[in-house]
């Protein structure tokens, strides 16, 4: 006696009936990169199909996204001027504040998430203010700046704040800052388990945010650590995060499942720049069926336990899901 699994694989209708995991366009958040100017849409060499855009182009892009059924974006800013604290991010007229206002004004139905960090805004490229003795980010000074940055995003009309800096206590500090300013209904999606990953390489080209010295290993996690990965997300849940995240996604599907099994909160994954670039370049080289590999990869995130997928593939996947 043996089991006939194939009995249920022969008829395509039955195969569909029995499909356990489904991808939907509603699962996606699409990243956008804003810079000053007008009519600017510069493709990034390492990420075909991804652009730095001026605000007017971002507003136009949102129209395209909505036609595809994508109603959620995450915004990153590339300021004109960078300094040691990242002042552009702490200013109501900074690039991100301006972009949020423009997008919400033109598209009130677009759900605007903002990446909350300082690495795009500091001249040294680290995710906060530097401690002159330790030569790494000063955790607690950065916390008060993060709270201030969050309030600026909130006042500009952001629908959700996504802190990505991996500072200890960041959710407590941001929640307190938001509540104090009257934004107790604004959700926080924490980059709660974020690894120090080489997969962020192409992102640092598009966001112009590579650190000028050293690396991010004193605040982002060691890719080797599973217990710590769970503990990081559990801590952010305790501090009041509304949604947790694992980043990167593809090389960390075990961690996605571990965290899913340890929380009742919704879980996001960030399908990062290097993961996207690998598929693009493999397609260019003619060695994979891009569409199928992309959909299989995105489906794997859902199966591993993700509820939300932040992905540069969102538009391409949405087109395929319409068929
Ligand atoms: C900012 C931030 C990064 C990414 C998202 N937010 C870069 C980093 O931590 O170096 C990476 C996204 C990607 O690679 O697509 N802290
Ligand atoms: Zn950062």
């Amino acid at each position: 006696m043996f089991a006939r699994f194939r009995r249920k694989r022969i008829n395509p209708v039955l195969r569909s009936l029995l499909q356990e995991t489904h991808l939907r366009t509603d699962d996606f958040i699409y990243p956008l990169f804003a810079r000053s100017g007008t009519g600017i849409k510069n493709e990034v060499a390492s990420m075909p199909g991804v652009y730095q855009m001026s605000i007017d182009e971002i507003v136009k892009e949102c129209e395209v996204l909505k036609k595809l059924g994508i109603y959620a974006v995450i915004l990153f800013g590339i300021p004109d001027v960078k300094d040691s604290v990242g002042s552009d991010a702490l200013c109501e007229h900074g690039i991100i504040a301006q972009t949020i206002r423009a997008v919400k004004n033109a598209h009130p139905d677009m759900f605007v998430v903002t990446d909350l960090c300082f690495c795009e805004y500091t001249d040294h490229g680290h995710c906060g203010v530097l401690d002159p003795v330790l030569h790494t980010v000063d955790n607690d000074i950065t916390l008060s700046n993060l709270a201030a940055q969050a309030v600026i995003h909130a006042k500009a009309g952001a629908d959700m704040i996504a802190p990505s800096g991996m500072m200890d206590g960041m959710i407590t500090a941001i929640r307190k800052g938001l509540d104090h300013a009257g934004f107790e209904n604004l959700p926080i999606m924490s980059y709660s388990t974020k690894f120090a990953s080489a997969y962020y390489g192409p992102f640092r080209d598009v966001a112009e945010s590579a650190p000028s010295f050293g690396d991010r290993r004193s605040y982002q996690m060691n890719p080797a650590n599973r217990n710590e990965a769970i503990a990081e997300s559990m801590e952010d849940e305790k501090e009041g995060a509304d949604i947790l995240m694992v980043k990167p996604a593809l090389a960390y599907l075990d961690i996605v499942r571990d965290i899913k099994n340890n929380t009742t909160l919704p879980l996001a994954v960030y399908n990062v720049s290097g993961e996207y670039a690998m598929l693009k370049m493999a397609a260019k080289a003619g060695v994979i069926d891009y569409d199928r590999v992309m959909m299989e990869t995105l489906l794997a995130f859902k199966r591993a336990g993700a509820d939300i997928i932040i992905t540069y593939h969102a538009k391409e996947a949405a087109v395929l899901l319409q068929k």
Side-chain angles (χ1 to χ4, degrees), residues 4-15 18:
R4 288 204 180 273
F5 289 103
R6 296 185 59 197
R7 210 183 268 144
K8 288 175 281 195
R9 289 184 198 141
I10 294 165
N11 185 299
V13 177
L14 185 56
R15 271 204 308 266
L18 299 177

Side-chain angles (χ1 to χ4, degrees), residues 115 119 164 194 200 203-204 216 220 247 272-273 312:
D115 181 88
C119 46
S164 64
K194 177 172 174 178
Y200 308 150
F203 173 92
R204 293 175 188 173
R216 302 207 203 290
Q220 298 179 349
K247 177 185 172 197
V272 301
S273 55
Y312 306 99

Side-chain angles (χ1 to χ4, degrees), residues 6 9 19 38 72-73 82 88 102 176 182 195 199 214 252 255 263 295:
R6 296 185 59 197
R9 289 184 198 141
Q19 178 161 331
T38 47
V73 293
K82 304 189 187 218
D88 189 88
K176 217 160 139 197
F195 293 92
Y199 281 98
Y252 297 88
I255 305 294
T263 185
M295 296 310 265

Side-chain angles (χ1 to χ4, degrees), residues 128-132 136-143 167:
V129 182
L130 291 184
D131 177 320
T136 179
V137 176
D138 182 313
N139 195 85
D140 296 11
I141 296 176
T142 301
L143 289 184
M167 294 301 124

